[in-house]
Amino acid sequence: MTRTWFITGTSSGFGRLLTDRLLARGDRVAATVRRPQALADLKALHGDRLWIASLEMTDSDAIRATVDKAFGELGRIDVIVSNAGYGLFGAAEELEDSQIRDLIDTNLIGSIQLIRVALPHLRKQRGGRILQVSSEGGQMAYPGFSLYHASKWGIEGFVESVRQEVASFGIGLTLVEPGPTRTNFGASLVTSGSTDAYANTPVGDLHRAFSEGSFDIKGDPGKMVEAMIASVEQDPAPRRLTFGAAAYASIRSALQGRLAELENRKEAALAMDIDP
């Protein structure tokens, strides 16, 4: 069965690979990028099955106009993939205000707006699927990635709520949570100016590891993209797709730790209700 997909952030990483795989199997793709020429090779190969639009995810009006145009020109769009985003590394106090605003506008508000403007179209066509690319960092946290985690934890809460709002319309939402993966995430990582205060802290340790390239990254992006494509065949939509042994281990540890802490504070929590 062929489908039509709308995917943001398709110039590289998951977005590019997903677009390539879908076109190769005969699907149609509406792809958004900052620079349309980044997909020139795919356009030459696949022609009208690749619809391209330039889109800046910090521009809410542009998101609405682009989504409306895609549905208007392509008709039914079966799957929305909210993929655009990037990482920001640095101790919280080291980050510039402009870096914080741009990250939140792109990763969180941009993703929220994309989903919001797609929903009326999906309701009108009586169904569809939304894949929101999050991260293992949507359920756990590393030092030095506070704002990145804020964006991912934020979008996970948003999707958890919206999923319940639109289920009766036949719209399914899935959070995609990859761990460290062999994409170009590190190359596009924005870093803050470092200060001596954090040189001998976990933030400094991670900064040195990035500089030395000492991370052992085992996540296979090709396998992950194939699993994303296969997930749209599942009914109901899976709530989460956790990708990679590292992601599984880190998320499991974080959830077990939070559950243990909750149970340790159970009596105090129950004691806070009004006395009978």
Side-chain angles (χ1 to χ4, degrees), residues 224-247:
M224 295 178 188
V225 162
E226 290 298 329
M228 291 169 65
I229 295 171
S231 75
V232 304
E233 304 287 350
Q234 300 175 37
D235 187 22
R239 293 177 62 176
R240 284 179 168 81
L241 299 173
T242 301
F243 290 152

Side-chain angles (χ1 to χ4, degrees), residues 40 95 114 121 126 150 202 220 236 239 250-251:
L95 301 174
L114 175 64
H121 296 283
R126 299 181 180 180
D220 185 331
R239 293 177 62 176
S250 66
I251 292 173

